[in-house]
Amino acid sequence: MDTSFNELMDSKFQNLYDDEIQKNFNQNPYLEDFVHAMVNIIIKYMKNCHDRSQKVIEFKEPHELNELINFDLEEKPENLAALMGYCRQTLQYCAKTGHSRFYNQLYSGMDVVSICGEWATYEIAPVFLLMEDAVLKRMRKLIGFHDGDGVFAPGGSLSNMFAISLARYRKFPESKSKGLYSLPRMAVLTSNHSHYSFQKGVNFMGLGQDNVFRVNCDSEGRMSISDLENKIKGLLSQDIIPIMVNATCGTTVYGAFDSLEEIADLCQKYDIWFHIDASWGGVVLFSDRKRYLMKGVHQADSITWNAHKFMGCPFQCSAFLTREKGKLQECNGDPVSYLFQQDKLTYDVSYDTGNKTIQCGRRIDAMKIWLMWKGKGDEGFAKKLHHAYELTNYLIEKIQNREGFELVHQPTYVNVCFWYIPKAIRNLPDNEIKKTKLSKLAPQIKAGMTKKGSMMVNYQPVDDKVNFFRMILINYDTTFEDMDFTLDEIEMLGEDEVTCVAKPALGPKPI
Amino acid sequence: MDTSFNELMDSKFQNLYDDEIQKNFNQNPYLEDFVHAMVNIIIKYMKNCHDRSQKVIEFKEPHELNELINFDLEEKPENLAALMGYCRQTLQYCAKTGHSRFYNQLYSGMDVVSICGEWATYEIAPVFLLMEDAVLKRMRKLIGFHDGDGVFAPGGSLSNMFAISLARYRKFPESKSKGLYSLPRMAVLTSNHSHYSFQKGVNFMGLGQDNVFRVNCDSEGRMSISDLENKIKGLLSQDIIPIMVNATCGTTVYGAFDSLEEIADLCQKYDIWFHIDASWGGVVLFSDRKRYLMKGVHQADSITWNAHKFMGCPFQCSAFLTREKGKLQECNGDPVSYLFQQDKLTYDVSYDTGNKTIQCGRRIDAMKIWLMWKGKGDEGFAKKLHHAYELTNYLIEKIQNREGFELVHQPTYVNVCFWYIPKAIRNLPDNEIKKTKLSKLAPQIKAGMTKKGSMMVNYQPVDDKVNFFRMILINYDTTFEDMDFTLDEIEMLGEDEVTCVAKPALGPKPI
């Protein structure tokens, strides 16, 4: 950290308090300095994020953080220098999610334009509604909807719940006023590799978690069409009404794409709402080479597409799109005279979209994606996708040709799932003992890389497969060399773990 | 606008594209310039916000905006100068919600520290969880909960739904797995002056809008305790189970506070979850002089408190607090091995809070309020509240003593509701003709002030009272002179409307 700069700032701001900068706002000499000083702290962090000599994470235990930072809130104010200090510390102990070696979540990299777009987002104005409209319209065009509607939701889980809500309303419009009491049991069908938000959603929405029916997947994580039809038939025979089938485009772990055309046919046959959770995979629609993965997408009744995942917006930016205009308003709307004055004389009230959602005030999520899209064009997203595929293909090849590494499956998207099998267990027979050893290894390697701060990669078990690593390859800054580094590092940490059996685990509560 | 600066920026950035600033991030010479240039645009907007010589809103019809700004998204990228231009235009046509004469919503003013805190919020890190914990803990202390739990939700509507969800789960834990099908009808009770989110919530949550029972209010907008008890008894006699009573602290229109102690007694008597929607009024807990308005608050089972309203955080920052620890996790949690690894070796997993909510990824809403609280201390919020009360009392006195102005009721909080009655109708008998004329006047005055950009004040009808103005007085910059200005302006616009009958209304679709 630049000590001289810090000292300068500290000496300037250490006798200044919040009151000073809020007062006489437009002529206050400290206001601008304070904002720029804060922005400098953030820019420094952004740069560190993309500097490979910096740790991906400066890991501290919660109890250590508690000793480093005084989190307690008090009656008395603290000065501006102290606040700037807190910002520096906070960013220091954040995971650098923009780092070229952050492969942990379904996002990575910092899109500067989008970040600035988010900063410039102040409510309230029709200008944002026009931006929202432009983004949703362009998305619908990529999908192939001729008309339709949409809204931004606070995250993909809620977008998926919006779909359930529309599906329920279409089948049983009386549920809006009467609730579910006198209605038949309803079911939501989704694959056992799909996102857990359906499980959470049906609980919240009164449908009950037992009424999410999990359809089996093939070895690549795609929903089995025959099992889907069997489950639908089984439900109908028990007088349980299937209201929605969810297809996933880009599953969380494998990155699998369900077969949309076949699912669309079944939904049509049995008159079921067809939702697509393309939170993670929607971006393939930008690419002439890859959009075949979502063939049939235009047949969906609704789609979730998270711009905070692949596309690179800061969280939250989840679009919910639907084919039929007006249904969102009809399903969620409620006439509230004190909020949505229909006697407004200033503008066409049809631009008021608030009543389409279940929220009252909403964050403006549209400007950051709109501005970013302006700056990249469709082709910018396609380019980012193709870069991610290059990294993926490189990594797959390396894994296939390197001793001790094993792919979990052959990826179709940019999730690469693999095990590292240390020398000591490499030649053991494939039995429970080997599985148990392997299962414990990923958490240990992960703890090692976190402590070192060299990179971040997620791990998880799936079906009968024990803990494996899942690399998410979307950062525009990530290179082939980073891939080599990653495999070297995993091998090194893995061998280290196996040989140093006596080494104590990290953390206060190893399980 | 500073043309020379714009030109300088434009010439520098007009041949630069997004790709350039994202590439070689940490050594890119343009990155820092671009961010600072964008921040300068925002700072300029912030200053304009607090400059009375600037319009509160530069009003443009949506169709005019469509001509001014090219909203369409294309295949090709636009250059950075163009993006900066879009930001300037966007902010130009935003309502200046920070303006000293913006009285339209339940927020006003721009808290610079909180804005910078929001900018510095990057996921993901335990450091944010500790901040969230510190804020919720301090809030619970002010409430008087000895223990308890909480979480930030994407807005007050969702916080209120979290309350319904806990109430339902406590009464019928089997609803989580089985849904509502075989359960008795459930009811939520709330006053007819309370927020509409309960209506939206029960629809979304499968309880049905018919099962929100509206309790009558007295003339001051407070829930009638006798009507509440009668309604509870009536429900029970029909085998409808009242699962929750909501009390409002700070109603949207009148700013009324329900009588918490009496409601708590009834909830205890009939074993009903007691929720308080203190989204707008919670801030009185900071003031020794005003916290009597929420006497009995510690008896609540759960509380919604929006820091993006009075406290001044940028939207969204809604805290949901509950008395019992562990219930949120029990009610909303779902074991998801691939996301919430319980075999993590890096830190104590009890700090992972994501599973308490219905969301997956969450925006970090805690840092901005935490940093602001550090900078103000409890006493900073008390000071802001007392300033608001001074403005309120001044305005009330002026209205009472000025010809043509009439208070709708005597405020207890900082919402001031009143009519302006123009000379021409002032002496008409109180009949339907007068009511109709008066009802149409507020929309016309509002359109007039919006077109001029002189100020923004909301209006609405309530119960049998026709359209009246509601002033929200919380901006730290607003002065007594602004109050005088406001009344003068309303009088002038009102007289103007009445005399110029032939004047065409604004907007393409006057209703």
Side-chain angles (χ1 to χ4, degrees):
Chain A
M1 198 163 290
D2 182 347
T3 322
S4 62
F5 172 77
N6 287 357
E7 278 165 8
L8 186 73
M9 282 299 118
D10 287 351
S11 67
K12 186 165 183 181
F13 288 114
Q14 69 193 353
N15 293 313
L16 270 179
Y17 284 82
D18 174 71
D19 257 11
E20 278 310 311
I21 45 163
Q22 314 281 0
K23 231 187 284 173
N24 300 318
F25 204 102
N26 69 321
Q27 287 157 353
N28 189 304
Y30 306 115
L31 173 89
E32 216 159 322
D33 291 351
F34 177 72
V35 175
H36 277 297
M38 290 290 261
V39 168
N40 278 334
I41 293 171
I42 299 169
I43 290 177
K44 198 173 188 91
Y45 167 76
M46 286 179 171
K47 289 182 154 193
N48 283 345
C49 262
H50 286 252
D51 178 356
R52 282 184 186 74
S53 70
Q54 295 276 331
K55 290 183 175 184
V56 177
I57 185 168
E58 175 74 47
F59 184 74
K60 299 282 173 200
E61 293 279 345
H63 74 89
E64 289 174 294
L65 286 172
N66 256 324
E67 278 161 32
L68 286 162
I69 303 178
N70 170 21
F71 288 100
D72 291 345
L73 299 166
E74 317 276 351
E75 273 184 47
K76 297 283 171 201
E78 297 191 39
N79 64 41
L80 297 182
L83 302 189
M84 289 163 63
Y86 287 129
C87 276
R88 283 197 198 91
Q89 283 187 297
T90 303
L91 292 173
Q92 191 179 350
Y93 301 123
C94 277
K96 298 190 185 72
T97 59
H99 200 288
S100 346
R101 292 194 192 124
F102 180 86
Y103 315 113
N104 207 63
Q105 255 79 11
L106 304 181
Y107 53 84
S108 176
M110 306 188 102
D111 190 275
V112 185
V113 171
S114 187
I115 288 170
C116 290
E118 170 152 283
W119 290 358
T121 302
Y122 292 95
E123 292 154 70
I124 45 176
V127 64
F128 293 118
L129 298 178
L130 295 174
M131 285 176 185
E132 182 169 25
D133 194 51
V135 173
L136 294 170
K137 203 192 287 170
R138 190 79 181 173
M139 283 178 152
R140 289 200 301 269
K141 193 178 169 226
L142 288 166
I143 288 163
F145 284 171
H146 296 297
D147 192 10
D149 205 349
V151 75
F152 279 90
S157 293
L158 273 148
S159 285
N160 287 338
M161 290 183 212
F162 283 7
I164 299 174
S165 156
L166 283 179
R168 179 174 69 186
Y169 180 73
R170 189 180 60 169
K171 198 65 112 181
F172 300 105
E174 67 271 39
S175 65
K176 181 173 179 176
S177 54
K178 305 213 172 302
L180 308 182
Y181 306 109
S182 52
L183 297 176
R185 258 176 81 185
M186 300 174 204
V188 169
L189 294 119
T190 187
S191 90
N192 56 26
H193 276 222
S194 69
H195 194 250
Y196 74 100
S197 50
F198 299 96
Q199 205 78 15
K200 285 213 168 193
V202 291
N203 167 23
F204 196 67
M205 298 174 72
L207 296 156
Q209 296 195 330
D210 291 353
N211 297 314
V212 174
F213 291 84
R214 293 282 177 178
V215 181
N216 295 335
C217 285
D218 64 16
S219 63
E220 298 301 309
R222 287 176 304 231
M223 196 194 268
S224 152
I225 303 299
S226 59
D227 191 47
L228 174 61
E229 182 155 22
N230 286 339
K231 290 228 158 76
I232 292 172
K233 284 182 188 164
L235 290 167
L236 289 171
S237 73
Q238 297 168 73
D239 293 322
I240 304 172
I241 311 298
I243 55 168
M244 182 177 114
V245 174
N246 169 66
T248 308
C249 289
T251 59
T252 311
V253 181
Y254 281 4
F257 284 70
D258 287 337
S259 307
L260 304 183
E261 288 183 313
E262 292 174 278
I263 297 169
D265 288 346
L266 283 184
C267 285
Q268 200 173 15
K269 180 171 169 189
Y270 293 99
D271 188 25
I272 303 174
W273 186 273
F274 177 27
H275 177 66
I276 297 177
D277 179 2
S279 295
W280 169 224
V283 75
V284 300
L285 295 173
F286 285 108
S287 160
D288 287 343
R289 280 183 253 160
K290 294 293 175 183
R291 63 173 292 136
Y292 75 90
L293 287 168
M294 284 180 70
K295 201 164 172 230
V297 58
H298 63 285
Q299 294 172 272
D301 291 298
S302 60
I303 294 167
T304 297
W305 184 349
N306 288 349
H308 58 252
K309 289 200 163 86
F310 198 106
M311 289 172 82
C313 282
F315 194 82
Q316 66 199 43
C317 197
S318 176
F320 174 74
L321 302 133
T322 177
R323 191 154 45 141
E324 204 179 327
K325 212 179 173 79
K327 278 289 164 211
L328 266 172
Q329 171 77 31
E330 206 182 307
C331 172
N332 294 325
D334 185 47
V336 195
S337 58
Y338 72 83
L339 270 167
F340 304 107
Q341 293 91 339
Q342 296 300 302
D343 52 359
K344 263 182 206 158
L345 298 182
T346 31
Y347 65 90
D348 181 356
V349 294
S350 71
Y351 282 95
D352 289 352
T353 59
N355 217 357
K356 279 185 202 173
T357 87
I358 57 162
Q359 299 185 274
C360 175
R362 286 196 299 147
R363 269 190 69 82
I364 305 291
D365 294 324
M367 183 173 181
K368 56 190 168 193
I369 176 174
W370 180 82
L371 198 69
M372 176 173 75
W373 206 321
K374 280 275 187 191
K376 289 189 198 304
D378 294 355
E379 54 182 44
F381 296 112
K383 226 166 106 183
K384 195 180 171 197
L385 183 70
H386 297 152
H387 174 257
Y389 266 106
E390 277 171 31
L391 291 172
T392 303
N393 293 335
Y394 181 88
L395 183 65
I396 291 170
E397 206 192 308
K398 289 285 163 178
I399 288 170
Q400 282 173 327
N401 295 313
R402 187 162 167 161
E403 190 106 22
F405 286 88
E406 196 179 310
L407 278 180
V408 174
H409 75 120
Q410 191 66 38
T412 47
Y413 195 41
V414 298
N415 309 31
V416 183
C417 299
F418 64 93
W419 291 282
Y420 176 67
I421 305 156
K423 285 179 193 138
I425 61 171
R426 206 170 289 170
N427 295 319
L428 291 183
D430 277 335
N431 58 19
E432 285 307 311
I433 298 168
K434 183 173 183 179
K435 273 192 162 184
T436 308
K437 283 180 192 284
L438 201 54
S439 164
K440 287 183 180 159
L441 192 71
Q444 285 165 335
I445 296 178
K446 167 96 180 195
M449 69 176 79
T450 305
K451 197 185 171 191
K452 282 180 72 179
S454 54
M455 56 195 199
M456 280 181 77
V457 189
N458 216 339
Y459 70 86
Q460 62 281 299
V462 159
D463 300 338
D464 61 338
K465 299 188 164 71
V466 299
N467 279 328
F468 52 84
F469 290 108
R470 182 203 61 181
M471 292 276 288
I472 296 297
L473 294 168
I474 53 178
N475 194 324
Y476 219 28
D477 253 16
T478 299
T479 61
F480 294 156
E481 289 72 37
D482 289 319
M483 299 297 92
D484 295 329
F485 175 93
T486 301
L487 297 184
D488 290 346
E489 188 78 357
I490 287 177
E491 177 168 338
M492 199 186 66
L493 290 164
E495 292 302 328
D496 206 35
E497 277 305 328
V498 174
T499 50
C500 306
V501 187
K503 214 174 100 177
L506 278 164
K509 290 186 181 177
I511 294 158
Chain B
M1 198 163 289
D2 183 345
T3 321
S4 62
F5 172 77
N6 288 356
E7 279 166 9
L8 186 72
M9 283 300 120
D10 287 351
S11 68
K12 187 165 182 180
F13 288 114
Q14 69 193 354
N15 293 313
L16 270 179
Y17 285 81
D18 174 71
D19 257 12
E20 278 310 310
I21 46 164
Q22 314 281 1
K23 232 185 284 173
N24 300 318
F25 205 100
N26 70 321
Q27 286 159 351
N28 190 304
Y30 306 116
L31 173 90
E32 217 159 321
D33 291 349
F34 177 72
V35 175
H36 277 296
M38 290 289 260
V39 168
N40 279 334
I41 294 171
I42 299 169
I43 290 177
K44 196 170 190 97
Y45 168 75
M46 285 179 171
K47 289 183 155 192
N48 284 345
C49 263
H50 285 252
D51 179 355
R52 281 182 187 74
S53 71
Q54 295 276 330
K55 290 183 176 185
V56 177
I57 185 168
E58 174 75 45
F59 182 75
K60 298 283 174 201
E61 293 278 346
H63 74 89
E64 289 175 293
L65 286 172
N66 256 324
E67 279 161 30
L68 286 162
I69 303 178
N70 169 21
F71 288 100
D72 292 345
L73 299 166
E74 317 276 351
E75 272 184 47
K76 295 283 170 199
E78 296 191 40
N79 65 41
L80 297 182
L83 303 189
M84 290 164 63
Y86 287 128
C87 276
R88 284 198 196 91
Q89 283 186 298
T90 303
L91 293 172
Q92 190 180 349
Y93 303 122
C94 276
K96 298 191 184 72
T97 59
H99 200 287
S100 343
R101 292 195 192 123
F102 180 85
Y103 315 114
N104 207 63
Q105 255 79 11
L106 303 182
Y107 54 83
S108 177
M110 307 188 102
D111 191 275
V112 186
V113 171
S114 187
I115 289 170
C116 291
E118 171 152 281
W119 291 357
T121 301
Y122 291 95
E123 292 153 67
I124 45 178
V127 64
F128 294 119
L129 299 178
L130 296 174
M131 285 177 185
E132 182 169 24
D133 193 51
V135 172
L136 295 170
K137 204 192 286 169
R138 189 78 181 174
M139 285 179 152
R140 289 199 301 268
K141 191 177 171 229
L142 287 166
I143 288 164
F145 285 169
H146 296 299
D147 192 11
D149 205 348
V151 75
F152 280 90
S157 293
L158 273 149
S159 284
N160 287 337
M161 290 183 213
F162 283 7
I164 299 174
S165 156
L166 283 179
R168 180 173 69 185
Y169 181 72
R170 188 181 60 168
K171 199 65 111 180
F172 299 104
E174 66 271 38
S175 65
K176 181 172 179 175
S177 55
K178 304 212 173 303
L180 309 182
Y181 306 108
S182 52
L183 297 176
R185 258 178 80 185
M186 301 174 202
V188 168
L189 294 119
T190 187
S191 90
N192 55 26
H193 276 222
S194 70
H195 193 251
Y196 75 100
S197 50
F198 299 97
Q199 205 77 15
K200 285 213 169 192
V202 292
N203 168 22
F204 197 67
M205 298 173 72
L207 297 155
Q209 295 195 331
D210 291 353
N211 297 314
V212 174
F213 290 84
R214 293 282 178 179
V215 181
N216 295 335
C217 285
D218 64 16
S219 62
E220 298 301 310
R222 286 176 306 230
M223 196 194 269
S224 153
I225 303 300
S226 58
D227 191 48
L228 174 59
E229 182 154 22
N230 285 340
K231 291 228 158 78
I232 292 172
K233 283 182 187 163
L235 290 168
L236 290 171
S237 73
Q238 297 168 73
D239 293 323
I240 303 172
I241 310 298
I243 54 168
M244 182 176 114
V245 174
N246 169 66
T248 308
C249 289
T251 58
T252 311
V253 181
Y254 282 5
F257 284 70
D258 288 336
S259 307
L260 305 183
E261 287 183 313
E262 292 175 277
I263 297 168
D265 287 347
L266 283 184
C267 284
Q268 200 174 14
K269 182 171 167 189
Y270 293 99
D271 189 24
I272 303 174
W273 186 273
F274 177 28
H275 177 65
I276 297 177
D277 179 3
S279 295
W280 169 225
V283 73
V284 302
L285 295 174
F286 285 108
S287 160
D288 287 343
R289 282 183 251 160
K290 294 293 176 185
R291 63 172 292 136
Y292 76 89
L293 288 167
M294 284 181 70
K295 201 163 172 231
V297 58
H298 62 283
Q299 293 171 273
D301 292 298
S302 60
I303 294 167
T304 296
W305 184 349
N306 287 350
H308 58 252
K309 290 200 163 84
F310 199 106
M311 289 172 84
C313 281
F315 194 81
Q316 64 198 43
C317 197
S318 176
F320 174 75
L321 302 132
T322 178
R323 192 154 43 140
E324 205 179 326
K325 214 181 170 78
K327 278 290 164 211
L328 266 172
Q329 171 77 33
E330 206 181 306
C331 171
N332 294 325
D334 184 47
V336 195
S337 59
Y338 72 85
L339 270 167
F340 304 107
Q341 295 91 337
Q342 295 301 301
D343 52 359
K344 263 183 204 157
L345 299 182
T346 30
Y347 65 92
D348 181 356
V349 292
S350 72
Y351 282 94
D352 288 352
T353 61
N355 217 357
K356 280 187 201 171
T357 88
I358 58 161
Q359 299 184 274
C360 175
R362 288 196 298 146
R363 268 190 68 83
I364 305 290
D365 294 325
M367 183 173 181
K368 57 190 168 194
I369 177 174
W370 181 82
L371 198 69
M372 177 173 75
W373 206 322
K374 280 273 186 190
K376 289 190 197 304
D378 294 354
E379 54 182 44
F381 295 112
K383 226 165 106 182
K384 195 181 171 196
L385 182 70
H386 297 152
H387 174 257
Y389 265 106
E390 278 171 30
L391 290 173
T392 303
N393 293 335
Y394 180 88
L395 183 66
I396 291 170
E397 208 192 307
K398 289 285 163 179
I399 288 170
Q400 282 173 327
N401 295 314
R402 186 161 169 163
E403 190 105 24
F405 285 88
E406 197 179 312
L407 278 180
V408 174
H409 75 120
Q410 192 65 39
T412 47
Y413 195 40
V414 298
N415 309 31
V416 183
C417 298
F418 65 94
W419 290 283
Y420 176 67
I421 305 157
K423 285 180 193 138
I425 61 170
R426 207 170 286 169
N427 296 319
L428 291 183
D430 277 336
N431 58 20
E432 284 307 311
I433 298 167
K434 185 174 180 179
K435 273 193 163 182
T436 307
K437 282 180 191 285
L438 201 54
S439 162
K440 286 183 181 160
L441 192 71
Q444 284 165 336
I445 296 178
K446 168 95 182 197
M449 68 175 81
T450 305
K451 197 183 171 190
K452 282 180 71 179
S454 54
M455 56 197 200
M456 280 182 79
V457 190
N458 216 340
Y459 70 85
Q460 62 282 300
V462 159
D463 299 339
D464 60 339
K465 300 188 165 71
V466 299
N467 277 329
F468 53 83
F469 289 109
R470 183 203 61 181
M471 292 274 289
I472 296 298
L473 295 167
I474 52 178
N475 194 323
Y476 218 28
D477 253 16
T478 299
T479 61
F480 294 157
E481 289 72 37
D482 290 319
M483 297 297 92
D484 294 330
F485 175 94
T486 300
L487 297 184
D488 291 346
E489 187 80 356
I490 286 177
E491 178 169 337
M492 200 185 65
L493 290 166
E495 292 303 328
D496 207 35
E497 277 306 328
V498 174
T499 51
C500 305
V501 186
K503 216 173 98 179
L506 279 165
K509 290 187 182 176
I511 294 158

